[in-house]
């Protein structure tokens, strides 16, 4: 059992390098299934989700070798298009194997995906999109059986701009004859990164970043050398940490445009933020002001993956605020833990009412999922006294060396492995 022990109250100062985006890498790694050639991926962070995705590639018959932070994937012997629960349950993104298998092998048998326990998270849009391209899909005994032998380009209308459904249709569509158009697709930067990655392999995809993606199917993809974009949620988490603890930190390897919504909010709470090339600097000199109301929405609006962290900030702000979580039914599991630390929060359905308090106090709490855990770390960093965060395995799924990076900017945080 791993836990974080945090002695809160230190201001932050120094420089941190932001790692590659987890949510960009996961579809890209699945994308390596699409070619027989070698793919080389640089700047690979050591996240559990990434290791689990590499296990899926190995199981598929790809040969994966990691040296330092570079992963080489050789797909010449890939031969398996079946994935059982053991490999699908640890992560939601295991479902990307479905699109990639359909692309390369024209068939797939896959168990349902797992992932953070933050809501229902169905995959109906993934399945409907693939059926719109002619895939025959049967759901039986906990498995999804897909026959893609008659797949052809077509029009897919997503009811909601789902990131995962957009990824799966892109992965299946690039090697499917004809033109596939995805309407109301996700516009996240990670979708743009996937498009650029696939195009570098010889795919013909355009429109990512807008609400319509057009894919012209090709027969074959070739190998590629790729460096993924940096993680905007990790960068956002450190920015919020500085806003809460005070001080000045500088974040390297950041893409300012990807964090503009959050940066606007942080300016409104009273932080000074500047950027140059791939660096963002944030300074906070006083208690944050409250933001009256924020709602989570698909990109480019406020990210659900920053909601727990921003709620931690609202807990110590100078007024009352309302947070509406529109994406996930149960992404408020950090609330009872924040309340143990002295926060004043009431939740009614998808809406949280937060009254800022001057100070949070250290307590023993539990990370229920990745971002909830990140929110608790931030609360612990600015709280008075000691905070113990249990079940931090969830946090380590998406933050590389969180403890040592925070230590390097002045935080008193220790990882305890019992
Ligand atoms: C991606 O999940 C991210 N994961 C999530 O990050 C992120 O919270 C989410 O996008 C939204 O930004 C990865 O990229 C690996 P969705 P995904 O499909 O693809 C509903 C983190 O903390 N929906 O856009 O699963 C769904 O229930 C994680 O890093 C359907 O109804 O998200 C949710 O309400 C957590 N049917 C909404 O859409 C479907 O078929 C958004 O889901 C698919 C989704």
């Amino acid at each position: 059992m791993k836990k974080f022990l945090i002695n809160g109250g230190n201001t932050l100062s120094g420089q941190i390098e932001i790692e590659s985006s987890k949510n960009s890498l996961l579809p890209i790694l699945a994308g390596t299934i699409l070619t027989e050639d070698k793919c080389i991926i640089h700047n690979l962070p050591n996240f559990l989700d990434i290791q689990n995705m590499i296990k899926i590639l190995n199981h598929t018959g790809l040969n994966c070798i990691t040296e330092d932070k570079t992963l080489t994937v050789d797909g010449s012997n890939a031969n398996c298009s079946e994935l059982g629960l053991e490999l699908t349950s640890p992560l939601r993104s295991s479902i990307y194997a479905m699109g990639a298998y359909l692309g390369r092998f024209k068939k797939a048998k896959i168990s349902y995906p797992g992932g953070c326990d933050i809501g229902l998270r169905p995959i109906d849009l993934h399945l409907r999109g693939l059926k719109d391209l002619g895939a025959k899909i049967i759901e039986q005994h906990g498995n999804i059986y897909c026959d893609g032998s008659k797949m052809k380009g077509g029009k897919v209308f997503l009811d909601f701009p789902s990131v995962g459904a957009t990824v799966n249709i892109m992965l299946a569509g690039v090697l499917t004859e004809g033109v596939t158009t995805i309407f109301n697709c996700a516009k996240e930067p990670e979708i743009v990164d996937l498009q650029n990655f696939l195009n570098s392999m010889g795919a013909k995809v355009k429109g990512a970043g807008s609400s319509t993606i057009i894919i012209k199917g090709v027969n074959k993809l070739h190998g590629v050398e790729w460096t993924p974009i940096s993680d905007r949620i990790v960068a956002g988490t450190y920015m919020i940490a500085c806003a809460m603890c005070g001080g000045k930190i500088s974040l390297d390897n950041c893409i300012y445009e990807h964090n503009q919504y959050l940066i606007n909010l942080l300016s409104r709470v009273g932080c000074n933020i500047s950027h140059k090339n791939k660096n963002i600097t944030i300074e906070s000199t006083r208690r944050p002001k409250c933001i009256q109301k924020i709602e989570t929405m698909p990109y480019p609006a406020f990210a659900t993956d920053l909601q727990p962290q921003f709620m931690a900030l609202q807990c110590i702000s100078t007024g009352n605020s309302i947070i509406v979580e529109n994406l996930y039914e149960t992404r408020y599991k950090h609330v009872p833990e924040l309340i143990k630390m002295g926060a004043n929060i009431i939740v009614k359905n998808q809406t949280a009412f937060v009254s800022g308090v001057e100070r949070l106090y250290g307590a023993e709490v539990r990370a229920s999922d990745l971002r909830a855990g990140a929110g608790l770390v931030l609360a612990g960093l600015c709280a008075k006294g000691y905070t113990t965060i249990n079940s931090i395995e969830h946090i380590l799924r998406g933050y590389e060396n969180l403890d040592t990076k925070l230590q390097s900017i002045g935080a008193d945080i220790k990882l305890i492995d019992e």
Side-chain angles (χ1 to χ4, degrees), residues 37-321:
D37 294 349
K38 267 192 189 152
C39 293
I40 299 173
I41 314 289
H42 296 291
N43 264 2
L44 198 79
N46 189 21
F47 295 147
L48 192 58
D49 276 8
I50 301 294
Q51 290 162 17
N52 283 327
M53 186 54 101
I54 293 174
K55 281 188 193 159
I56 290 176
L57 299 185
N58 281 323
H59 167 87
T60 307
L62 290 95
N63 184 23
C64 302
I65 298 171
T66 313
E67 252 180 299
D68 295 328
K69 284 186 155 280
T70 297
L71 171 73
T72 305
V73 183
D74 179 350
S76 53
N77 290 321
N79 55 4
C80 173
S81 58
E82 299 191 359
L83 210 54
L85 202 57
E86 202 183 304
L87 289 168
T88 60
S89 61
L91 77 166
R92 168 83 176 171
S93 306
S94 54
I95 195 65
Y96 295 158
M98 180 170 65
Y101 287 168
L102 275 172
R104 177 145 179 195
F105 305 113
K106 308 298 169 209
K107 60 178 181 177
K109 177 189 163 197
I110 179 162
S111 300
Y112 288 90
C116 279
D117 179 16
I118 49 183
L120 292 175
R121 309 188 82 186
I123 52 163
D124 55 320
L125 302 176
H126 302 230
L127 300 180
R128 206 179 318 142
L130 295 169
K131 283 180 188 167
D132 287 342
L133 303 186
K136 288 208 168 59
I137 299 181
I138 298 169
E139 294 177 81
Q140 214 167 45
H141 310 304
N143 288 318
I144 307 159
Y145 298 83
C146 309
D147 173 0
S149 55
K150 302 253 163 56
M151 277 176 79
K152 278 217 161 38
K155 291 184 179 171
V156 176
F157 296 86
L158 293 178
D159 292 341
F160 182 88
S162 154
V163 173
T166 304
V167 167
N168 250 331
I169 297 159
M170 286 170 82
L171 292 174
V174 284
L175 287 176
T176 295
E177 188 193 326
V179 176
T180 295
T181 311
I182 317 173
F183 296 94
N184 196 30
C185 61
K187 296 186 234 164
E188 269 70 359
E190 295 76 22
I191 298 290
V192 178
D193 206 26
L194 178 63
Q195 167 181 281
N196 294 340
F197 170 77
L198 293 169
N199 285 345
S200 300
M201 296 171 86
K204 293 203 159 73
V205 187
K206 60 181 185 185
S210 77
S211 55
T212 308
I213 290 177
I214 302 169
I215 304 165
K216 197 161 174 253
V218 296
N219 289 331
K220 212 172 160 50
L221 295 179
H222 53 74
V224 64
E225 195 162 343
W226 196 253
T227 303
I229 57 171
S230 72
D231 198 311
R232 63 193 165 96
I233 304 300
V234 170
T237 302
Y238 288 117
M239 283 189 248
I240 299 171
C242 182
M244 292 174 70
C245 296
K248 184 175 180 180
I249 62 168
S250 164
L251 305 175
D252 282 339
N253 188 32
C254 278
I255 304 172
Y256 174 80
E257 291 70 28
H258 295 173
N259 273 110
Q260 280 192 96
Y261 199 98
L262 174 70
I263 287 171
N264 177 270
L265 290 179
L266 292 175
S267 305
R268 284 163 59 195
V269 308
C271 298
N272 296 318
I273 302 164
S274 59
H275 71 104
K276 196 174 177 194
N277 303 323
K278 286 192 140 193
N279 176 280
I280 298 177
T281 300
I282 173 163
E283 184 174 22
S284 161
T285 53
R286 53 177 181 256
R287 186 174 163 199
K289 286 185 254 174
C290 73
I291 300 283
Q292 260 183 350
K293 187 176 179 193
I294 51 166
E295 294 201 34
T296 64
M297 303 269 204
Y299 187 85
F302 183 63
T304 175
D305 293 347
L306 287 170
Q307 178 261 108
Q309 302 90 314
F310 205 81
M311 180 184 280
L313 177 139
Q314 298 288 60
C315 286
I316 53 146
S317 73
T318 57
N320 300 323
S321 47

